[in-house]
């Protein structure tokens, strides 16, 4: 997919189709491995921690099922931020909450020319990707929350002697 062609995309369904249709096409220039597919990018990140929740991300057939009942029994269901039960689903498949997804730091709908740029991609678990949604401040909010948590931990461990 040429960058000139990607620059002209503004229709959400066309962008989604291009992303979906290129999952097995070597179109991401990995600095170490050369051209790789989005599926290879995801596979390379399996067993790594999610940069937001720290949970080990999973990848592969053993982490999805066609049965909603099976997904629930495997523990794939979790509560969303608003407390509702949720299972990650794509088409007829149900996925583990920490299945590897590819997040676009700059949204592919707003920056279609960056859709396959390695520096614009980040592997995060499906649960965090759903929480992030289209929030460009998610990373900063997450870091702020982490810093507040560290501060509270330090103050509990080392109380003010005065």
């Amino acid at each position: 997919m040429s960058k000139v062609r990607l620059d002209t995309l503004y229709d959400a369904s066309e962008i989604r189709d291009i992303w979906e249709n290129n999952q097995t096409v070597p179109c991401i220039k990995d600095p170490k491995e050369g051209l790789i597919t989005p599926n290879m990018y995801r596979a390379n990140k399996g067993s790594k921690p999610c940069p937001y929740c720290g949970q080990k991300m999973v990848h592969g057939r053993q982490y999805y099922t066609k049965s909603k009942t099976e997904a629930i029994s495997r523990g794939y269901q979790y509560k969303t931020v608003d407390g509702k039960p949720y299972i990650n689903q794509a088409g007829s498949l149900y996925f583990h909450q920490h299945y590897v997804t590819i997040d676009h730091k700059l949204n592919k709908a707003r920056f279609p020319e960056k859709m396959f740029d390695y520096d614009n991609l980040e592997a995060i678990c499906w649960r965090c990707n759903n929480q992030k949604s289209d929030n460009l401040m998610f990373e900063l909010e997450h870091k702020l929350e982490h810093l507040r948590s560290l501060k509270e931990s330090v103050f509990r461990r080392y109380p003010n002697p005065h």
Side-chain angles (χ1 to χ4, degrees):
M1 182 60 55
S2 77
K3 289 214 183 248
V4 173
R5 170 78 176 105
L6 290 174
D7 277 340
T8 64
L9 292 177
Y10 293 101
D11 179 73
S13 64
E14 189 177 13
I15 290 168
R16 184 190 64 242
D17 289 347
I18 288 171
W19 177 251
E20 293 302 318
N21 292 333
N22 283 282
Q23 294 304 296
T24 58
V25 176
C27 54
I28 298 170
K29 189 174 180 183
D30 184 298
K32 294 178 184 171
E33 297 188 36
L35 283 176
I36 62 171
T37 69
N39 286 341
M40 290 169 66
Y41 182 94
R42 263 190 297 283
N44 290 345
K45 306 299 180 180
S47 299
K48 303 246 187 308
C50 173
Y52 297 103
C53 69
Q55 295 293 314
K56 181 177 96 169
M57 295 186 290
V58 297
H59 187 267
R61 293 183 188 269
Q62 68 271 31
Y63 297 105
Y64 61 84
T65 179
K66 287 187 175 188
S67 164
K68 184 175 185 176
T69 305
E70 176 70 17
I72 291 169
S73 73
R74 289 183 184 182
Y76 293 0
Q77 186 170 322
Y78 59 93
K79 301 242 187 247
T80 60
V81 175
D82 58 3
K84 295 179 181 168
Y86 188 79
I87 304 174
N88 301 319
Q89 184 178 4
S92 63
L93 299 176
Y94 298 91
F95 289 84
H96 188 284
Q97 62 182 310
H98 298 296
Y99 201 85
V100 178
T101 64
I102 299 176
D103 178 57
H104 292 82
K105 295 173 189 174
L106 297 174
N107 183 296
K108 62 184 178 276
R110 293 189 186 126
F111 300 93
E113 70 279 8
K114 301 254 182 219
M115 190 181 319
F116 299 105
D117 282 4
Y118 184 85
D119 292 334
N120 188 43
L121 305 176
E122 179 176 43
I124 68 176
C125 77
W126 201 320
R127 185 177 186 167
C128 289
N129 206 349
N130 281 345
Q131 286 177 347
K132 179 182 182 265
S133 186
D134 197 19
N135 179 2
L136 296 176
M137 296 300 292
F138 185 81
E139 184 176 358
L140 290 174
E141 290 167 357
H142 178 76
K143 286 179 181 177
L144 179 59
E145 181 181 317
H146 179 69
L147 289 173
R148 284 182 179 147
S149 173
L150 282 174
K151 179 186 88 171
E152 289 170 15
S153 175
V154 168
F155 286 152
R156 276 194 308 275
R157 193 175 294 172
Y158 307 103
N160 188 347
H162 297 76

